Amino acid sequence: MESQSNTNGSNSKRNNYHWSFLDQKIFCEKLVIETMKFISITIIICITLLGLFGTFAIFTKQGNRKANKLLGFFFLLWAFDFLDGLLLLEGFYLEHPNFALWNESFVFLYGPLLYFYTLHIARKKIPFKWRFLLHLIPFIISFTTIMIFLSYSS
């Protein structure tokens, strides 16, 4: 009789361990889901603020207007970059893989926008020079390549 109770007791311990493992797994899954929701909400807030600030900077009529427009476009690019991260996080690209690379070439605009912004802040008037467009060559090459790739993949 005692041997049967020991056997049943060890089985119940094993079952308790098994259930606690499942409980931990469920807890971790819920924690990951809640964390993803928090990150998504934070990204949405960042997109909104960057979009509003960028739009305000573009359309404001005070101060150095060219510098404000460049800074506004810089912040709008950041908003698009955050939007790309949100779409990736929410699984949009799993359903629509053709749109996955739409934002990749914009990375090459950060440097030129900051460079032109600091030029306009540091100096009062800057005459347009054709050599300024050389800073846009990486963006143009990347954007054209991605558009060609996307047109062939769809």
Side-chain angles (χ1 to χ4, degrees), residues 59-110:
F59 292 111
T60 188
K61 305 228 186 252
Q62 298 174 352
N64 190 342
R65 291 177 69 186
K66 286 184 182 179
N68 288 343
K69 286 182 182 183
L70 290 169
L71 187 65
F73 283 121
F74 180 77
F75 282 116
L76 285 178
L77 277 179
W78 268 68
F80 282 127
D81 201 15
F82 274 76
L83 178 64
D84 182 51
L86 180 66
L87 293 175
L88 180 66
L89 190 65
E90 295 294 325
F92 177 79
Y93 294 137
L94 294 175
E95 298 171 14
H96 308 284
N98 289 341
F99 295 113
L101 296 175
W102 71 275
N103 195 30
E104 296 304 314
S105 59
F106 292 152
V107 172
F108 294 110
L109 288 178
Y110 288 131

Side-chain angles (χ1 to χ4, degrees), residues 119-138:
L119 276 180
H120 283 285
I121 290 294
R123 302 179 188 162
K124 292 285 182 188
K125 289 195 174 190
I126 298 175
F128 175 76
K129 297 177 184 172
W130 286 101
R131 66 184 169 110
F132 286 161
L133 295 178
L134 292 176
H135 295 283
L136 300 177
I137 288 176

Side-chain angles (χ1 to χ4, degrees), residues 97-99 101 143-154:
N98 289 341
F99 295 113
L101 296 175
F143 187 75
T144 322
T145 305
I146 288 173
M147 288 301 123
I148 290 171
F149 175 74
L150 289 178
S151 68
Y152 282 123
S153 67
S154 60

